[in-house]
Amino acid sequence: MSNFDTIKAITENMEEVLRKEGMRFSLKTYEDERGAPASHLPLGKIYYAGESFQNVYGERPLYAEVEFVIKIVIGERDPADLIREQQMWAHKVRGALCAEALNINGLAASKYVSRVRIQRIDAENRKDTSTIVCRAAVRYRES
């Protein structure tokens, strides 16, 4: 499995794990989250944010760390409910994303993912919707 295939599998597995938590993913893109229908909420989006590589001479296996930004659009109207929904999703994502959860499907045999670190979770509030922005780093063994 090439490193690109590993990253692709990690991304697909991340989406599958979050879908099991109740997050919805849409093939349609929205210029503004407020345009997303209520039936698509909570709407998840996963973005590739970059990678860092270890280049230590003589070390094997080498590891790399891929960073993702996960956005979750929530549409609660009541401010108190919105806060609870934000907190719930922050902890759902944090609890669901771990090395064991991402080492499924094509990665089950190789167990390339060795660590998942949730770096930060931020809430962005607007009048009609709120977005949770989660920054995650996934450490994987290079092939």
Side-chain angles (χ1 to χ4, degrees):
M1 176 177 274
S2 72
N3 291 333
F4 166 72
D5 292 330
T6 302
I7 293 298
K8 182 180 171 194
I10 289 170
T11 307
E12 291 168 353
N13 292 350
M14 188 177 294
E15 184 175 325
E16 183 177 329
V17 166
L18 293 174
R19 194 180 304 269
K20 287 179 183 174
E21 292 295 320
M23 195 178 300
R24 294 172 182 86
F25 292 88
S26 175
L27 297 177
K28 182 177 179 180
T29 59
Y30 301 97
E31 280 188 40
D32 187 355
E33 287 92 9
R34 291 176 285 193
S39 62
H40 287 186
L41 300 179
L43 178 64
K45 300 175 186 179
I46 299 173
Y47 298 99
Y48 173 81
E51 291 184 67
S52 58
F53 304 96
Q54 291 182 358
N55 292 320
V56 179
Y57 179 76
E59 182 180 304
R60 215 44 202 157
L62 293 176
Y63 292 91
E65 193 168 87
V66 59
E67 295 178 14
F68 293 97
V69 174
I70 304 161
K71 289 189 175 184
I72 308 153
V73 180
I74 301 168
E76 288 292 335
R77 301 248 186 245
D78 179 36
D81 290 342
L82 180 62
I83 290 169
R84 300 300 176 260
E85 191 78 7
Q86 290 170 331
Q87 293 166 340
M88 180 193 71
W89 276 105
H91 287 276
K92 269 189 171 187
V93 170
R94 184 174 176 248
L97 296 182
C98 62
E100 183 179 316
L102 296 182
N103 279 322
I104 58 172
N105 301 327
L107 300 177
S110 61
K111 304 272 191 228
Y112 280 133
V113 175
S114 61
R115 179 179 66 206
V116 178
R117 192 168 35 95
I118 303 300
Q119 298 170 319
R120 182 163 179 81
I121 297 178
D122 294 307
E124 298 174 355
N125 297 304
R126 293 187 180 166
K127 183 179 177 183
D128 296 332
T129 59
S130 176
T131 304
I132 300 293
V133 179
C134 173
R135 300 181 192 294
V138 178
R139 185 174 192 238
Y140 69 94
R141 188 175 68 245
E142 293 191 89
S143 54

